[in-house]
Amino acid sequence: MENLRLDDFTKYKFLSGIKASPNGQNIGFVLHQMDVDENKYLSNIYIHDLKEEKTFKLTSLDEERAFAWKDDSTLLFPAIRNKKDKARKEKGEQLTSYYEISLKGGEANKAFEIPLNVTSLEILDEDKLLLTAVYDHNYPKLDGLTSEEREDELKKIKENEDYEVLDEIPFWLNGQGFINKKRNRLYIYNIKENKATAITDEYTDVNSYKLNKEKTKVIVIGTTYADKMELESDIYIYNIAENNLKNISMEKPFRYSYGNFLEDKIVFTGHAGEHYGVNENPHFYKMDLDGSNVERISKDFDYSIRNSVGSDCRYGSSQSMKVDGEHLYFVTTEWDSSFINRIDLNGNIEKLSAEKGSIDGFDVLDGKIHFIGLRGLKLQELYCLDGKQETQLTHFNAWVLEERKVSKPERLTFTVGDNITIEGWVLKPVDYREEEKYPAILDIHGGPKTAYGEVFYHEMQYWANEGYVVFFCNPRGSDGRGNEFADIRGKYGTIDYDDIMKFTDLVLEKYPCIDEKRIGVTGGSYGGFMTNWIIGHTNRFKAAASQRSISNWISKFATTDIGYYFVEDQNAATPWSDYEKLWFHSPMKYAGRVTTPTLFIHSEEDYRCWLTEGIQMFTALKYHGVESRLCMFRGENHELSRSGKPKHRIRRLEEITNWFNKYLK
């Protein structure tokens, strides 16, 4: 067994986009891996044949990241594969080409092209598609123009790339760039006629849509705005034959998060944010197809319906909710793990999976469940869930545990407040010897409404292989424990900070092998905020690495994609209602106290926690004579540590590790 290497993550395989074939005999998914030399991710469609019990690679051009089943043996996927299409895209033309490929073999053939930038697609019949595409108010109408006129209009698009005009908020979005007057719009596209018919208007941003089994009606959830996007959304039903879109929302403002057909009803999820704000856990509801007789069907339910168990070993996304038969299947995060559940129209909820770990996406057909998951310290693989029994179907990442040393998390718990249990974990160095003293790193998760679990986390395992004790916990504010536990609105840097410091005290008590004069602290996003907060409130840590952080709630309010609503919600204040409260919770207020050498990691295109947040804190520390360093990554956003370019992810981990080695070793 060899020690885990810093760049071993570039050899991991990541799975996403799981979808069963219509007959349930094959499971399709996308496999991603890194090409460090080209500094990019390679993505191809794979198939697992359940009858033959074998997995095979279906595409091989390394750019296939999404697909839809056309029939039992044919897939459709978007791609730009010829020079002509590439040239058209480079000119600024809106275009999505779809190819089809057979499971029986042979080359992929171009099936059709759509004059839109498609974001998702469902097949209605041989001639019609239901799809969403980006609608840009500033994009010229090219229909009916001559070739020369089209060229002139496309030239203007390229010329205008040097300018951004902003007249609404949010005007940019992390991972997407400037989104001013751009909407995800729903269309029906006729392939033979090459005609797209818009279903939603030009100001409605479609969050999700679901077809009924007969493919005659569609449930649509969207947010309509022109100047300021509010958090409330609407739910609609669209009759395809009648071309009629009807708003069936409740009278009171509501934040719909999912909607679908279930038997003869509509089932939907969401909340009004009346009790716990933007992070409030949703409930399940049902109503008639015309929007009447709304009834909440979940009773004593208090979990988020998503997977929020953290890991830096994922790429791509998968569905986490689906209707099958008489049930809506969904994922919950509970304590340190996520699980597959289902609910019927009477509100009966069953937990279907039992093993700890992370459900990273699933599909279900006729009650048969397949999922992508993290189990124990294994990286992502494909699994079958039969009753409570899980069967692993792939072994792409088996080599990691076979060839590399890893450290098993050791769980610690303690109580705070009114007998509230806080759980955390410790990773010992892989070559641990009881008589030695070790440096340690406290790692703090983002969110704050996410959760650490016992799944594989590359950076932590690497540090354990480098001779560090690594410790991490889920303080109040984390997910998996219900609304009350997660609610730290107006309390940032108080009870959460206390929990983390008490956990640190407990770790030092239980693990005397740690040299308490050589402890570092790091974290990203909310974890970056907490790192900034910690160094302004204690000097017990000898080095810090603050990643994609928040340092000033006042500046975050008016500069980031979620700032204008997230800051007010989480701090119970705006710059006008209570400036002093925002400043009280801002690490910048305490920057003059800092003595801890601190590294800042930030991305130039991080619009969730904008670059100014890192720059402010870095400048403050430099001004006060504290040793500090800022490493900014061009072309990266808030997801640098999880989906950044391979070379950038290597450099990020090198920067943090070298910083801790300098001060802790």
Side-chain angles (χ1 to χ4, degrees):
M1 297 281 282
E2 297 181 4
N3 283 86
L4 189 74
R5 298 164 189 163
L6 184 147
D7 64 350
D8 271 340
F9 72 87
T10 64
K11 305 176 185 68
Y12 301 159
K13 306 293 192 299
F14 311 102
L15 285 65
S16 72
I18 181 172
K19 293 177 187 174
S21 61
N23 62 9
Q25 293 181 10
N26 292 285
I27 306 297
F29 58 94
V30 180
L31 185 82
H32 313 271
Q33 59 191 86
M34 299 187 202
D35 183 333
V36 178
D37 291 337
E38 294 295 324
N39 204 24
K40 65 180 184 180
Y41 293 81
L42 311 179
S43 304
N44 292 285
I45 301 169
Y46 278 67
I47 302 294
H48 182 80
D49 186 320
L50 294 170
K51 185 178 180 181
E52 299 294 329
E53 297 183 352
K54 67 176 184 178
T55 304
F56 61 94
K57 185 177 182 180
L58 187 64
T59 64
S60 57
L61 290 191
D62 301 330
E63 296 180 348
E64 295 80 46
R65 299 189 176 189
F67 67 90
W69 287 97
K70 183 179 180 182
D71 53 44
D72 292 333
S73 60
T74 312
L75 277 76
L76 282 174
F77 62 90
I80 299 296
R81 289 193 162 196
N82 60 54
K83 291 181 180 179
K84 183 179 178 182
D85 287 353
K86 287 180 181 178
R88 290 165 65 188
K89 290 288 287 184
E90 288 171 359
K91 286 181 179 179
E93 188 172 341
Q94 292 186 345
L95 172 70
T96 307
S97 296
Y98 276 85
Y99 288 74
E100 64 177 45
I101 188 168
S102 173
L103 270 57
K104 299 172 184 176
E107 292 292 321
N109 297 308
K110 188 172 180 179
F112 52 84
E113 64 179 49
I114 302 171
L116 297 166
N117 291 334
V118 177
T119 54
S120 67
L121 175 145
E122 294 282 348
I123 300 169
L124 294 176
D125 56 40
E126 288 187 0
D127 298 329
K128 292 188 182 68
L129 307 168
L130 181 69
L131 59 88
T132 52
V134 177
Y135 176 81
D136 187 347
H137 283 247
N138 298 314
Y139 190 82
K141 298 187 184 302
L142 303 178
D143 294 343
L145 300 183
T146 65
S147 296
E148 188 175 318
E149 289 171 335
R150 287 172 63 89
E151 288 295 319
D152 288 342
E153 290 296 329
L154 292 172
K155 283 181 182 177
K156 291 177 184 177
I157 292 174
K158 301 301 287 184
E159 291 170 359
N160 286 330
E161 286 181 350
D162 287 344
Y163 313 96
E164 292 291 345
V165 177
L166 311 178
D167 60 5
E168 64 182 18
I169 54 174
F171 49 81
W172 56 19
L173 186 64
N174 187 69
Q176 294 185 31
F178 284 91
I179 58 165
N180 195 84
K181 287 296 186 290
K182 293 179 181 178
R183 303 290 187 269
N184 196 41
R185 198 172 183 184
L186 189 65
Y187 296 85
I188 285 183
Y189 181 74
N190 189 302
I191 299 171
K192 285 186 176 179
E193 297 176 5
N194 189 28
K195 181 182 178 183
T197 303
I199 297 172
T200 53
D201 66 46
E202 64 268 32
Y203 287 103
T204 296
D205 195 48
V206 174
N207 304 321
S208 67
Y209 64 97
K210 295 295 177 183
L211 267 169
N212 64 352
K213 275 187 177 180
E214 298 76 21
K215 298 187 176 182
T216 57
K217 294 182 174 68
V218 188
I219 294 296
V220 184
I221 293 175
T223 305
T224 304
Y225 66 101
D227 293 304
K228 183 178 77 167
M229 185 191 77
E230 303 292 349
L231 294 181
E232 291 73 25
S233 54
D234 287 295
I235 186 168
Y236 305 82
I237 187 167
Y238 177 68
N239 186 306
I240 295 176
E242 298 174 3
N243 188 27
N244 179 47
L245 182 68
K246 181 183 178 183
N247 190 327
I248 54 171
S249 305
M250 295 181 289
E251 286 187 11
K252 68 174 184 178
F254 198 76
R255 301 165 191 176
Y256 298 90
S257 54
Y258 178 87
N260 207 338
F261 299 94
L262 181 57
E263 299 188 67
D264 61 345
K265 301 286 185 181
I266 292 171
V267 62
F268 65 93
T269 63
H271 65 83
E274 296 172 323
H275 306 292
Y276 298 98
V278 298
N279 284 331
E280 187 169 318
N281 288 330
H283 270 286
F284 294 85
Y285 299 79
K286 67 180 178 182
M287 64 180 172
D288 293 340
L289 298 187
D290 61 0
S292 63
N293 298 315
V294 177
E295 180 185 346
R296 195 179 99 182
I297 58 175
S298 54
K299 307 303 179 187
D300 300 322
F301 180 82
D302 190 15
Y303 291 113
S304 61
I305 50 175
R306 64 189 179 105
N307 175 28
S308 58
V309 178
S311 175
D312 55 0
C313 296
R314 301 185 181 106
Y315 190 82
S317 61
S318 300
Q319 66 181 355
S320 59
M321 300 188 80
K322 189 182 179 183
V323 165
D324 182 65
E326 299 176 349
H327 296 90
L328 169 62
Y329 291 73
F330 61 97
V331 170
T332 54
T333 296
E334 305 178 27
W335 287 75
D336 60 353
S337 297
S338 53
F339 302 93
I340 299 174
N341 311 259
R342 69 181 185 182
I343 186 171
D344 63 20
L345 286 175
N346 294 318
N348 299 310
I349 296 176
E350 300 174 73
K351 183 185 287 187
L352 302 177
S353 62
E355 292 194 27
K356 294 179 66 173
S358 172
I359 303 292
D360 292 350
F362 73 89
D363 199 7
V364 55
L365 183 65
D366 298 329
K368 297 177 181 177
I369 299 171
H370 293 87
F371 69 91
I372 296 166
L374 295 165
R375 289 296 186 246
L377 288 175
K378 296 177 184 177
L379 280 86
Q380 283 185 328
E381 300 291 355
L382 180 66
Y383 293 83
C384 173
L385 179 63
D386 186 2
K388 298 288 184 182
Q389 184 65 39
E390 297 181 3
T391 303
Q392 185 176 334
L393 302 178
T394 63
H395 299 84
F396 293 110
N397 293 300
W399 68 272
V400 179
L401 296 186
E402 292 170 357
E403 301 175 18
R404 298 291 190 263
K405 297 177 183 179
V406 295
S407 180
K408 185 178 180 180
E410 298 178 5
R411 186 171 179 263
L412 287 177
T413 63
F414 62 101
T415 58
V416 297
D418 190 16
N419 204 32
I420 300 168
T421 299
I422 304 293
E423 63 175 351
W425 297 266
V426 176
L427 298 180
K428 289 179 182 173
V430 294
D431 297 318
Y432 173 77
R433 288 188 294 183
E434 193 170 332
E435 67 275 11
E436 285 198 21
K437 284 282 191 179
Y438 294 95
I441 299 172
L442 166 64
D443 208 342
I444 305 167
H445 67 62
K449 200 183 176 188
T450 63
Y452 276 136
E454 298 179 2
V455 299
F456 192 96
Y457 222 112
H458 176 79
E459 67 179 34
M460 295 190 195
Q461 289 292 342
Y462 172 65
W463 291 330
N465 273 263
E466 287 293 295
Y468 287 95
V469 175
V470 184
F471 58 106
F472 48 101
C473 71
N474 291 326
R476 279 173 286 183
S478 301
D479 199 7
R481 304 281 300 281
N483 281 315
E484 288 285 349
F485 186 87
D487 187 19
I488 58 169
R489 292 173 301 159
K491 302 173 184 175
Y492 274 59
T494 60
I495 60 173
D496 47 350
Y497 170 74
D498 291 342
D499 291 351
I500 293 169
M501 291 302 101
K502 287 179 181 178
F503 176 62
T504 302
D505 293 338
L506 179 64
V507 170
L508 292 177
E509 175 191 335
K510 298 292 185 181
Y511 291 83
C513 63
I514 295 174
D515 182 349
E516 56 185 88
K517 294 181 180 178
R518 294 189 291 151
I519 307 174
V521 58
T522 188
S525 196
Y526 164 79
F529 157 81
M530 183 51 69
T531 299
N532 291 344
W533 184 269
I534 285 171
I535 61 176
H537 288 78
T538 179
N539 61 2
R540 72 188 302 178
F541 297 94
K542 301 310 173 188
S546 173
Q547 308 169 60
R548 59 187 191 280
S549 69
I550 300 165
S551 63
N552 185 341
W553 290 107
I554 299 161
S555 58
K556 180 174 170 60
F557 179 97
T559 60
T560 65
D561 55 359
I562 64 173
Y564 69 93
Y565 61 83
F566 185 80
V567 171
E568 179 178 12
D569 178 82
Q570 294 294 288
N571 289 281
T574 71
W576 306 277
S577 67
D578 198 340
Y579 180 95
E580 288 301 326
K581 182 166 181 58
L582 290 184
W583 186 236
F584 171 82
H585 292 286
S586 296
M588 274 290 289
K589 177 177 181 179
Y590 312 98
R593 305 176 180 176
V594 177
T595 60
T596 307
T598 304
L599 168 71
F600 295 92
I601 300 288
H602 229 105
S603 298
E604 190 174 29
E605 296 172 18
D606 185 343
Y607 303 138
R608 185 62 38 83
C609 298
W610 198 29
L611 179 61
T612 56
E613 296 301 307
I615 287 177
Q616 286 180 78
M617 200 69 181
F618 166 73
T619 300
L621 267 57
K622 280 293 184 186
Y623 178 81
H624 289 288
V626 179
E627 188 160 356
S628 48
R629 172 184 174 93
L630 189 149
C631 184
M632 184 198 75
F633 292 82
R634 289 197 171 89
E636 297 292 355
N637 58 51
H638 200 64
E639 301 302 308
L640 168 64
S641 65
R642 297 177 283 247
S643 60
K645 295 181 181 68
K647 289 181 180 179
H648 293 173
R649 291 180 66 177
I650 291 172
R651 176 64 181 269
R652 166 196 166 271
L653 192 48
E654 286 176 342
E655 285 280 339
I656 298 171
T657 305
N658 290 342
W659 189 260
F660 284 140
N661 287 346
K662 178 179 178 180
Y663 292 99
L664 306 182
K665 283 193 172 181

